[in-house]
Amino acid sequence: MKGIFLTAATMALTMQAMAQEGPAKETPKITLSGYVEAYYGFDFNEPANHTRPSFLYNHTRHNELNVNLAYLKGNYTADRVRANLAIMAGTYAQYNLAAEPELLRHVYEANAGVRIANNVWVDAGIMPSHIGFESAVGKDCFTLTRSIMAENTPYYETGAKITWSNKKWTVAAMYLNGWQRIRRVDGNQTPGFGTQVVFRPGSKVTLNWSTFIGNDKADSVRQMRYFNDVYGIFNITDRFSLIAGCDYGLEQTAKGSGDMNSWFSPIAIARYAFSDKIALAGRYEYYNDENGVIISTATPNGFKTSGYSLNFDVAPVSNVLFRVEGKLYNSKDDIFMKSGEAKSSNVAVTTSLAVSF
């Protein structure tokens, strides 16, 4: 009886102590990671300056070995605090951040966040964009090269974001410096705003709707932009996946005008994994920007271009990915150049080798 009494007393004291302490908090943790993607691309239009068409910002160099993106990232996580800092190099940084101050062109990510309530975080700094399903990190994308829609929407954004999430929903709102800006445009005092709603009804489906509202020019010529990005990711089987989406944007033709220029871009990408090491992906895309809001061509029909690509992936080990991709662009107007002559098509082959750690 004495033993039973002592056991019961010990259990009661232990339960009382646990109740007073509450749930265990997450132990602060610092993680270092990195990524390097080298590539070789050959553009059959053979540009003399070795630069691929100007609406591309990844894998931009022709007929030379180069590095698209290399970064080293530090991540700090705790119960109510988190932070990220990543420094980068490569042709992605060279071309995509050309408008930023030189020192900031090497910052891939620099942000800090605090949890202000259950499932509610506030983050601020330089962050990955809330628009689109593709990033500059090739290993995270279905295809070797990025789509036209990804290349011409923000890859990063600077501002503050509040996010609420649970197992099925993520809802976020942002205050931003502009449309893919670290430094705001000179003469611009107009804030930009973004929203994102993500719904995951199960492990096989992700549905996303992202928006942007703002002006990306000086206030003296302010043209408000209203943009929507909608897509779905469907893991139909363990081996077959599909992404389908569409971007649609409007921008004022002039300051104070009620008239709008519009552009849109549908896309579909299918991927089949033969095994954990081998996969094949095909993409169809179309980009229509008749009035040159995002991609200016100074041609009669503007930028109206279809894209087709097919890539083959081999992952010899879990953190290494070798890829080869063929891509064809067909345009309504002659917007591509070959040996000084305008052409309506562009063909390229790209290979890449990516290592993550």
Side-chain angles (χ1 to χ4, degrees), residues 8-293:
T10 301
M11 292 177 62
L13 290 171
T14 302
M15 291 177 65
Q16 182 179 8
M18 291 176 64
Q20 290 173 347
E21 292 174 2
K25 294 184 177 181
E26 181 180 347
T27 303
K29 181 172 60 174
I30 296 176
T31 304
L32 292 176
S33 60
Y35 178 75
V36 180
E37 182 186 12
Y39 73 97
Y40 172 83
F42 189 88
D43 187 322
F44 286 86
N45 286 349
E46 300 186 72
N49 63 358
H50 293 269
T51 303
R52 305 238 25 243
S54 60
F55 57 86
L56 302 178
Y57 301 93
N58 284 274
H59 310 98
T60 47
R61 303 296 294 170
H62 154 71
N63 196 23
E64 65 181 43
L65 282 165
N66 218 311
V67 174
N68 187 61
L69 175 64
Y71 70 73
L72 185 64
K73 178 177 179 178
N75 167 258
Y76 173 81
T77 56
D79 181 52
R80 296 190 60 185
V81 179
R82 61 189 181 190
N84 298 282
L85 176 62
I87 305 301
M88 68 174 168
T91 55
Y92 161 82
Q94 176 186 354
Y95 287 91
N96 200 49
L97 283 83
E100 304 292 355
E102 187 173 355
L103 183 62
L104 295 177
R105 294 175 195 170
H106 299 285
V107 179
Y108 183 74
E109 197 173 348
N111 55 74
V114 59
R115 182 169 60 82
I116 61 173
N118 286 338
N119 303 324
V120 180
W121 285 84
V122 174
D123 297 276
I126 303 170
M127 301 172 284
S129 173
H130 70 288
I131 293 172
F133 54 85
E134 295 174 276
S135 75
V137 183
K139 72 177 181 64
D140 296 334
C141 302
F142 276 17
T143 56
L144 189 163
T145 62
R146 304 294 79 80
S147 64
I148 305 174
M149 69 186 329
E151 295 282 54
N152 294 279
T153 51
Y155 281 110
Y156 63 89
E157 57 198 16
T158 306
K161 175 172 68 172
I162 183 168
T163 307
W164 171 86
S165 63
N166 63 16
K167 291 182 178 180
K168 290 189 176 183
W169 291 91
T170 298
V171 180
M174 304 90 183
Y175 174 93
L176 303 169
N177 283 351
W179 176 268
Q180 187 166 267
R181 299 285 182 183
I182 296 178
R183 183 182 67 178
R184 181 171 286 186
V185 174
D186 291 343
N188 180 307
Q189 304 297 336
T190 308
F193 298 96
T195 65
Q196 183 175 27
V197 179
V198 183
F199 178 53
R200 299 180 180 88
S203 61
K204 293 184 177 296
V205 177
T206 298
L207 303 175
N208 181 95
W209 174 38
S210 299
T211 69
F212 173 87
I213 299 174
N215 163 49
D216 202 48
K217 300 177 176 65
D219 288 346
S220 59
V221 291
R222 179 188 296 131
Q223 293 172 261
M224 292 300 295
R225 180 175 296 176
Y226 307 93
F227 181 80
N228 289 271
D229 165 56
V230 179
Y231 65 83
I233 302 174
F234 308 94
N235 297 312
I236 297 171
T237 70
D238 292 340
R239 297 191 180 278
F240 181 68
S241 300
L242 177 68
I243 299 176
C246 186
D247 287 354
Y248 181 74
L250 296 166
E251 186 175 271
Q252 287 178 301
T253 57
K255 184 177 181 179
S257 173
D259 295 329
M260 295 283 182
N261 290 322
S262 65
W263 72 100
F264 64 92
S265 180
I267 188 171
I269 306 174
R271 181 179 186 271
Y272 185 82
F274 297 94
S275 68
D276 293 339
K277 297 181 182 295
I278 298 175
L280 188 71
R283 169 177 55 200
Y284 169 76
E285 58 182 326
Y286 177 69
Y287 201 99
N288 185 313
D289 186 8
E290 183 175 0
N291 299 295
V293 178

